[in-house]
Each structure stands twice: as C-alpha cells, then as structure tokens.
Amino acid sequence: MLNENLSKVRKERGLTQEALAIKLNVVRQTVSKWEKGTAVPDADTLCRIADALDVSIAALLGDSEYEEQQDTAAIAKALAQINEQLAIRNRHTATVWKVFCLISLCVIGVLLGKGHWETNHEDPAILLPDIVEVTDVSFSCNGEELTCFFVPSIGNEDISYMVTLSCIDKSVSDATATAQYENGICTASFDKSKLFGQAGYCVVLSIDYHGDVRNVTLANDFYFDENSCSWQAQ
C-alpha cells in the first residue's frame, strides 16, 4: 500500500516526518495522515514526494506499471482507486461503530427498564463536513466537449455535484454541468460550443445534499483551446 511504502522509504532515507514535510512545503500532520492511510496525496504531490525521496512512483504505489513516470491523469486514476479503497474502509469502520453504539443503547435501555424503542422515527440525515476537500482535479477537451475530473473527500450517489464555469470578466454567461459520481471519481462534461475559450474562467464545485450545500473552487484562470487546457490549481 502507498502509506506503508511511503513510511518505509522515508525511514530508509533517514528523514523524519517533519523533515519530509519541510521538503514538500506541507505540515507534518499531512505526512502523518498519508502514512497512516487516512488521506491520499494528489498526483502532483505524489510526483514531488517521489522526487524528494529519490524513488520511483512505482516503488511508492507498489505497481510496476508506473515504473516509467506517466502523465498526471494516469497517476490520478491510480490514486482515485486508492482513495476509493480508503473510503470503503472508512465506511466499514463507521458501520462497526454504529453496531457497537446500537448494542450499547439496547443494553442501557434494558437496564433502565425501557420496554420498547420508538418504531416510527426516521434515520437522521447525513451531514456534510464543514470543509469538503477535492483532489486530483484535471481537465481534458476534444473537438466538442470539455470534461472536468475530480475526487471529492465525501462521495455518495445521493449527493449532487454541480460544476460551474464562471467567466472572470463576465463577458459570457456562466455554464453549469452536473458531475456523475462513479467509483470515487466525479466527471462533468460541457458543450464547448456554448463556451468561449479565450475567456478566463473560475471553476467552482457546488456540493448539495438535501439542501446542505458546500462550495469548493476547483481552478482559477482556466482557459482552453481546441485540444488543450490550462488552469491555476487551488
């Protein structure tokens, strides 16, 4: 796993988490989360980690397929799969805790002489965290479509992910597309004929779960032409 390989190589290089964090211009807690497997770096950061530790991306990912450095999109896909595995593990842990709490409540109810539980209550709604993190943001374009890819820290098919391209100088109207969530990765596609590539855009994600909304800026100064895109990452 990435977290185990990262910890192993860092120690082999004689670096502390603090020393590696300084090289990467992040806080020590971020390195700690990567090594504990509670967070996954994005593709660009993984490349910087490999450079800082003088090791191949293949050694960190534990996959010979990446022996030669590939483009960011390919690495991002591999990280998205790791992120999905992490999400599955977290959901499993949450389920175990829910079962434990339910059993504890039942025992307390018996001890207090409760004869029965309310049977007509509704399950509480899932609450979005105050800050939703988004990683592995990338764009691609062809003759007809502009596509945005990203990995949200909270994934659920019941959550609405809306991506808006807002023209910085307001010379053209905003364009909004609904992102499809599948296997931890969101994909939003835009009709290029309704956009103006020479205009600079701010790309904003709106996450809506039953009226609970969080907004995240995905990119600034976004431009595109026939077959390429450029943007300033957040």
Side-chain angles (χ1 to χ4, degrees):
M1 291 292 291
L2 172 60
N3 62 312
E4 296 172 349
N5 295 335
L6 173 57
S7 177
K8 177 183 177 181
V9 175
R10 174 184 61 77
K11 292 175 181 178
E12 289 175 348
R13 299 296 187 269
L15 293 174
T16 63
Q17 290 183 345
E18 183 70 28
L20 179 58
I22 292 174
K23 283 177 172 287
L24 300 174
N25 195 28
V26 299
V27 297
R28 184 198 63 78
Q29 289 83 352
T30 298
V31 176
S32 177
K33 288 180 180 180
W34 293 338
E35 294 189 354
K36 289 179 179 178
T38 59
V40 178
D42 59 32
D44 291 335
T45 302
L46 182 62
C47 291
R48 292 196 294 119
I49 293 172
D51 289 340
L53 295 177
D54 191 22
V55 68
S56 67
I57 292 176
L60 293 177
L61 290 177
D63 191 339
S64 59
E65 177 183 353
Y66 297 92
E67 191 63 46
E68 297 294 334
Q69 183 171 343
Q70 300 186 12
D71 59 27
T72 302
I75 299 172
K77 184 176 181 179
L79 291 174
Q81 292 174 345
I82 296 174
N83 218 13
E84 178 64 12
Q85 293 172 356
L86 175 61
I88 292 173
R89 188 182 69 182
N90 289 341
R91 288 196 293 268
H92 176 72
T93 301
T95 300
V96 171
W97 275 106
K98 287 180 180 178
V99 172
F100 173 79
C101 292
L102 180 60
I103 294 174
S104 298
L105 288 174
C106 289
V107 172
I108 292 173
V110 170
L111 294 176
L112 295 176
K114 298 292 185 179
H116 61 274
W117 291 91
E118 293 291 336
T119 58
N120 59 352
H121 68 283
E122 296 181 354
D123 293 333
I126 299 173
L127 297 178
L128 295 177
D130 292 336
I131 298 176
V132 177
E133 297 182 356
V134 177
T135 59
D136 303 320
V137 178
S138 62
F139 299 87
S140 67
C141 61
N142 55 34
E144 299 180 352
E145 282 190 340
L146 168 68
T147 306
C148 173
F149 306 90
F150 58 91
V151 177
S153 60
I154 179 169
N156 191 311
E157 294 181 353
D158 294 331
I159 296 175
S160 173
Y161 302 90
M162 303 293 293
V163 179
T164 299
L165 272 62
S166 180
C167 183
I168 297 174
D169 62 9
K170 305 301 181 182
S171 60
V172 294
S173 301
D174 293 353
T176 300
T178 300
Q180 301 300 314
Y181 177 84
E182 184 176 358
N183 296 327
I185 303 175
C186 287
T187 305
S189 297
F190 296 84
D191 184 349
K192 286 175 61 178
S193 66
K194 298 181 180 179
L195 302 171
F196 181 55
Q198 300 304 316
Y201 290 92
C202 177
V203 185
V204 177
L205 167 65
S206 178
I207 301 175
D208 186 339
Y209 183 76
H210 297 307
D212 191 13
V213 180
R214 301 289 184 273
N215 293 318
V216 181
T217 299
L218 300 181
N220 280 317
D221 296 329
F222 176 79
Y223 295 87
F224 69 91
D225 54 27
E226 186 65 22
N227 295 302
S228 63
C229 309
S230 65
W231 67 93
Q232 179 180 343
Q234 290 299 298

